Amino acid sequence: MTGDATRAVHGPAPREVRQPPLVPPVYRSATFVFDSAQQTADVFAGREEGWSYSRTDNPTAQAFADAVALLEDPTEVAVGQPFASGMAAICSTLLALCDAGSHVVAPREVYGGTWSLLTRQLARFGVETTFVDGTDVDAVRAALRPETAVLWGEVLANPTMSVADLPGLAQVARDAGIPFAVDATFASPVVCRPLEHGVDLVLHSATKYLGGHSDVTGGVVVGAAALVDRVRTVRIDTGGALAPDEAALLSRGLTTLPLRMVRQCATANTVAAALAAHPRVVRVDHPSLPSHRDHALAQRLFAPGLYGAVVTVTPSGGRAAGMALVDGLQLVKRATSLGGVVSKAVHVATTTHLSMDDESLAAAGIDPGAVRVSIGLEDPEDLVEDLTRALDGL
Ligand SMILES: Cc1ncc(COP(=O)(O)O)c(C=O)c1O
């Protein structure tokens, strides 16, 4: 190497690192170098394992998905695939499972982005969706058609925190011979491991609890290799790859997931109980409360004492009171998303459920005054104080 440009581009030979690093390096490379044309051909043809191009597979991104798979399935049978966002994971999954003319059954309370994907995008390609009460197993069964290609579910629904009867719904899917895919974002594998209840594919917006710090967007799908591989193919074809730097942040977040989740859920239980006792509150949605419709089901499906860390509180006074409650908060941030270490609150009807009028909200069991609070890692008494002060001020 004699020219400056060549030396600048190629640099010196990399130093050898004999010991394994404690933390895996970030493979911030779009492409990988082969020893020979033959090896290149073998890796491209799948005859030899290897890394070729980071939209296809990247070691740092894959390490994150592998780590999630291990949490979802400690028996190490399930495999994971990483995605650029939760929606990329959901989109790739639905595209993998549906053809033109397919039918999907999904819960009425399904996450807004999934609803939009199904009704605004996939509908244009001839995929029709029936939305039903996802907690009513009989209604779900009745909605199936011969062309139903996938049963969609959510472990915990937003913002009512209703719990899906995973074993019951899995049986419905099994009887119909179709896959049961579940968005487990609100639960995380610390609260619930859906694969153990008969679910075929588990999906997460890793942006939430898995990452845990509100500083990265990502998604993941976990399940049996044959199904997950079909989803991977769509990810490759649609470009939904998770970037290596984002993956490294997600992997770091994942190391503290169990600690964070246990603490956030315990705080949520405390906050839910305190809010339920406040005179201005007409309703609190959190499955830790015996008054929650799905309390018993949650006890059956979830890790002991954990019910998720989102608490939805409805003050008396409707829409205006909900907005005033959010405005009265000093510690809890007015911000969307959930799962991070900082607590956040949104007025449901004017944010996450903006597209629904009061009538549709009522049909979905959501009060126009509902405020969704994502409980973070602050001291529980500080959160109770902040929310109580805001309620007192209404
Ligand atoms: C339940 C649920 N699923 C999926 C998503 C989409 O995830 P992302 O924003 O990472 O695409 C979200 C985002 O809020 C969500 O709450």
Side-chain angles (χ1 to χ4, degrees), residues 84-88 90 111 114 154 156 158 183 185-186 204-208 217-219 337-338 372:
S85 67
M87 281 316 301
I90 292 168
Y111 168 63
T114 310
E154 291 184 352
L156 277 166
N158 173 33
D183 182 335
T185 299
F186 272 56
H204 291 277
S205 165
T207 316
K208 312 300 185 321
T217 301
S337 197
L338 59 133
R372 186 188 78 185

Side-chain angles (χ1 to χ4, degrees), residues 318-391:
R319 206 170 261 265
M323 293 185 78
L325 171 57
V326 171
D327 277 339
L329 296 168
Q330 293 176 11
L331 177 64
V332 176
K333 300 295 182 203
R334 280 170 286 279
T336 191
S337 197
L338 59 133
V341 298
V342 176
S343 293
K344 310 174 190 70
V346 282
H347 172 239
V348 173
T350 52
T351 60
T352 56
H353 291 63
L354 177 63
S355 58
M356 293 167 87
D357 57 19
D358 282 4
E359 201 180 316
S360 324
L361 287 172
I366 301 166
D367 190 284
V371 171
R372 186 188 78 185
V373 186
S374 166
I375 300 296
L377 279 181
E378 299 91 342
D379 292 296
E381 49 276 23
D382 288 336
L383 293 174
V384 169
E385 188 187 308
D386 193 34
L387 286 154
T388 303
R389 190 193 314 107
L391 284 164

